[in-house]
Amino acid sequence: MKFDFHTHGKLAKAFDFSVEYYIQMANHALESGLDGLALTEHFNTKNFHEVYDKLDEHFPYQDGYYNILGLKVFPGMEVDIKEVGHILCIGDRSDIRSLRDDLEGYTEKEAFVPFARLLEFVSRYEMLVIGAHPFRPSTPLKDLHSALLIQLDAFDLNGKDLHTRGIEKNQEDVHSFALDLGKPVVGGSDTHHFKQFGAVYTELEKTCSTVKELKDVISNQEFTIEVANDLHERVSEAIRLKAIEKAKLELESVK
């Protein structure tokens, strides 16, 4: 099962969620060879609950995922923490909605949730919790206290960082960091634009339909990470097209 653990459903946080755009995303995810993904939209995106309201209106939810054109889409979100860093939380849709409600008072930059507090919230639910792009200069999760970091399930080998930091350099840094903490590493494209799908993904040895099954496969390290030979081309083209489409949407919004 080819799986992407870090994806977004919008071009940017300031925009509304578009079902039409997400269908386009799902189609391209399938075309890139993916079987499933985690939809880890930013927790402080515009109208967060609207994302799942619209998915509920248009697509069936079964076991622990949405079936979108045959693509398994697991609910999730990406959370900013006070100490600086991003955490991916993947779980049942009701748990993701509840966790978002827990974070209602923490959505502004000056009031992001402390890492320990987020871990306390997450412990109430059955969730897969992943440290996102630990070596990104703007959000260096690697610098946080190991007593907190070891409570995560895995760390993210991130498509954007593989592009900006270099494939070999980022792979070496992330794998060494995770090994020191005794944690696995999974692949996530961090895409906001469909062109980035397939840049990096996780090949699971088992087909998963629930977050518990995902957690078990990751915990047992029954997977490999695949980095596309054309990762740089995929990511740079996604960045180029994202900028064009964002500018177009921003222009339309002021008309």
Side-chain angles (χ1 to χ4, degrees):
M1 181 181 185
K2 296 180 180 179
F3 199 91
D4 189 333
F5 280 95
H6 189 165
T7 77
H8 296 274
K10 301 182 179 185
L11 281 172
K13 291 192 287 187
F15 298 141
D16 291 318
F17 181 76
S18 165
V19 172
E20 292 75 17
Y21 181 74
Y22 201 65
I23 289 174
Q24 185 180 31
M25 292 283 281
N27 270 316
H28 283 273
L30 290 165
E31 288 174 10
S32 73
L34 293 177
D35 303 298
L37 55 82
L39 175 56
T40 50
E41 191 54 72
H42 293 284
F43 83 117
N44 55 355
T45 194
K46 180 182 179 182
N47 298 328
F48 178 87
H49 284 296
E50 179 187 41
V51 173
Y52 291 105
D53 289 341
K54 289 193 173 182
L55 290 179
D56 286 342
E57 289 174 11
H58 291 87
F59 306 106
Y61 184 82
Q62 55 196 66
D63 297 324
Y65 64 90
Y66 292 95
N67 186 333
I68 302 180
L69 310 176
L71 182 72
K72 292 183 174 181
V73 176
F74 288 72
M77 64 180 167
E78 182 173 8
V79 182
D80 294 69
I81 55 174
K82 180 179 180 179
E83 294 86 345
V84 183
H86 292 182
I87 307 297
L88 307 176
C89 303
I90 303 164
D92 184 82
R93 64 178 176 183
S94 62
D95 290 344
I96 292 297
R97 284 181 178 271
S98 293
L99 178 59
R100 177 58 183 80
D101 290 340
D102 293 336
L103 297 170
E104 187 56 42
Y106 299 101
T107 57
E108 300 300 325
K109 186 174 183 179
E110 63 277 7
F112 286 156
V113 64
F115 194 4
R117 182 66 168 152
L118 175 62
L119 292 171
E120 180 184 335
F121 284 143
V122 169
S123 69
R124 303 171 184 173
Y125 310 104
E126 178 73 59
M127 286 192 181
L128 177 61
V129 189
I130 299 169
H133 38 73
F135 282 80
R136 186 169 296 178
S138 60
T139 53
L141 197 66
K142 66 180 178 63
D143 295 335
L144 303 190
H145 200 288
S146 60
L148 296 174
L149 293 170
I150 61 172
Q151 296 182 56
L152 301 175
D153 295 307
F155 291 95
D156 168 36
L157 186 67
N158 186 274
K160 181 179 177 181
D161 288 15
L162 289 166
H163 174 64
T164 58
R165 300 187 73 244
I167 293 174
E168 290 186 7
K169 173 64 174 170
N170 200 57
Q171 284 180 316
E172 179 181 349
D173 285 345
V174 174
H175 282 287
S176 296
F177 171 69
L179 182 62
D180 287 344
L181 292 167
K183 297 295 175 179
V185 174
V186 297
S189 66
D190 202 359
T191 183
H192 288 76
H193 189 281
F194 62 76
K195 280 291 186 180
Q196 203 158 310
F197 277 129
V200 56
Y201 60 88
T202 309
E203 181 91 44
L204 307 177
E205 293 178 9
K206 298 178 181 178
T207 298
C208 298
S209 297
T210 67
V211 70
K212 183 182 185 305
E213 292 173 353
L214 285 175
K215 288 188 70 168
D216 288 345
V217 167
I218 298 308
S219 176
N220 295 330
Q221 300 202 36
E222 298 172 326
F223 65 90
T224 56
I225 297 175
E226 301 296 332
V227 178
N229 292 331
D230 61 348
L231 176 138
H232 292 299
E233 290 80 359
R234 288 176 187 254
V235 177
S236 58
E237 182 67 357
I239 292 170
R240 185 184 73 84
L241 293 173
K242 176 185 172 182
I244 293 170
E245 293 181 27
K246 277 183 65 178
K248 180 181 176 182
L249 288 171
E250 288 166 352
L251 182 62
E252 290 175 352
S253 69
V254 299
K255 288 183 178 179

